[in-house]
Amino acid sequence: MAKAISDLKSKKNNFDMLIEIVDARAINISSNKELLKDFNLPVLTIAVKSDIAEVNQKNDLLYISTKNKSHRQIVLNKIREVLKPKIDSKKKKGLVNPQFNILVLGLPNIGKSSFINFLLNKNNLIVQNYPGVTRKQTLVKIDNMLFLNDSPGILFKKIDDLQTGYILGLIGCIKKDVLPMREVIKFGYEFYLNNYQQPLYKKFNFNSQLSFDDFINHICQQYKFIKQDNQIDTTRAFDYLYGLFTNGNICKVNYEK
């Protein structure tokens, strides 16, 4: 991570603008504000995955879903709006077709490559649903004016509290194999129980509050996560629930309620 940060900082004078990608389910937690301070550039923050988020429209972020093709032109218009002072300045100097390099920043697996593919209208970059796929900076041409630089996902230098770590886990920004899976799933269950109780009950077919252990037992019985010795398979249950949480398959959610 330190090498990636150092590399980006050494090239910061090559960029005209930053696009910060955050997850619409946790816009503040998924923002790497500390890194943004190192770049004295215009910043456009885009909250992706709005289709699975309970969106808070009280802020001025641009919320989009890469599944909604109509959002593409909205994004391009907003980029040009942010760049307008630089566009006007370059045209005054006689540049008829100015070009701009834009750095796309975000946490691991936040959706940077998917976002760039969305603007490209094709699958040009490697996209996988786990952190650490983009290993180096990648330059792509959106049109004759705009060039986007994808970058490796950069996590915070330090995660200060367990809740932040659990939420980053539930939105897929921390590798699954380093997570304390039981604690992450327990946090997710209790968060939904407190904030989205009825969708939780409906999804898993129960109608009264269960302890976490009873809930896991219910999941194992319902989905036949049973070992050969007739014991419940909690590992399969945790994996199943983790997939539902990270993919937003229970209901639209805001982890910063």
Side-chain angles (χ1 to χ4, degrees):
M1 184 179 73
K3 185 178 185 303
I5 293 175
S6 176
D7 183 52
L8 288 176
K9 288 181 180 179
S10 70
K11 298 175 181 176
K12 62 184 179 181
N13 292 331
N14 297 336
F15 305 120
D16 299 286
M17 172 185 171
L18 297 180
I19 291 179
E20 181 197 22
I21 303 297
V22 298
D23 192 305
R25 296 171 291 178
I27 56 175
N28 293 302
I29 289 173
S30 61
S31 175
N32 196 337
K33 294 181 176 63
E34 184 178 346
L35 182 59
L36 295 180
K37 293 177 183 178
D38 294 322
F39 295 86
N40 185 26
L41 293 169
V43 178
L44 171 61
T45 300
I46 297 179
V48 298
K49 303 178 184 176
S50 65
D51 54 305
I52 57 175
E54 185 180 45
V55 173
N56 175 11
Q57 292 288 6
K58 293 181 181 179
N59 54 57
D60 58 358
L61 297 186
L62 183 58
Y63 288 89
I64 71 159
S65 168
T66 55
K67 297 177 181 178
N68 188 335
K69 293 183 179 180
S70 69
H71 288 176
R72 180 178 183 272
Q73 194 57 51
I74 294 173
V75 172
L76 292 175
N77 290 344
K78 188 65 177 179
I79 292 172
R80 289 183 172 87
E81 179 185 322
V82 173
L83 284 172
K84 189 176 186 306
K86 293 192 174 189
I87 294 172
D88 292 344
S89 175
K90 289 195 175 187
K91 286 187 174 179
K92 284 180 181 179
K93 294 177 181 178
L95 292 174
V96 178
N97 296 306
Q99 296 180 340
F100 300 92
N101 280 324
I102 302 168
L103 178 61
V104 181
L105 285 175
L107 302 186
N109 201 40
I110 199 73
K112 300 184 306 299
S113 296
S114 295
F115 168 75
I116 293 175
N117 284 338
F118 173 66
L119 292 189
L120 281 170
N121 258 340
K122 58 185 178 181
N123 292 325
N124 188 61
L125 303 176
I126 299 173
V127 176
Q128 295 289 345
N129 192 28
Y130 56 84
V133 173
T134 304
R135 299 296 184 184
K136 61 182 180 180
Q137 221 173 295
T138 307
L139 178 67
V140 295
K141 178 181 179 181
I142 300 300
D143 56 30
N144 289 332
M145 178 181 288
L146 305 177
F147 293 80
L148 297 190
N149 296 259
D150 193 14
S151 60
I154 298 173
L155 201 57
F156 313 108
K157 290 181 180 178
K158 182 173 68 172
I159 296 174
D160 293 325
D161 61 272
L162 289 174
Q163 179 170 308
T164 295
Y166 293 157
I167 292 172
L168 290 174
L170 290 173
I171 64 175
C173 290
I174 298 179
K175 288 183 178 180
K176 181 180 174 183
D177 57 3
V178 303
L179 290 170
M181 192 56 67
R182 175 185 170 82
E183 297 307 313
V184 170
I185 299 304
K186 185 174 187 289
F187 172 84
Y189 168 67
E190 292 175 349
F191 181 86
Y192 275 78
L193 194 61
N194 291 328
N195 297 282
Y196 302 99
Q197 187 179 88
Q198 291 308 313
L200 185 74
Y201 285 179
K202 182 177 180 181
K203 178 69 177 178
F204 299 111
N205 194 29
F206 66 108
N207 54 23
S208 62
Q209 187 167 327
L210 299 175
S211 70
F212 178 65
D213 288 332
D214 286 343
F215 171 68
I216 295 302
N217 184 69
H218 172 76
I219 293 297
C220 289
Q221 298 296 337
Q222 183 173 12
Y223 295 100
K224 311 300 182 186
F225 297 149
I226 308 296
K227 299 177 182 179
Q228 289 184 347
D229 60 1
N230 210 34
Q231 298 296 309
I232 61 172
D233 192 337
T234 57
T235 299
R236 287 180 65 193
F238 293 160
D239 284 345
Y240 173 70
L241 291 167
Y242 176 77
L244 294 181
F245 286 136
T246 55
N247 293 316
N249 294 137
I250 299 173
C251 66
K252 292 185 177 183
V253 63
N254 174 7
Y255 284 112
E256 297 176 348
K257 288 177 77 74

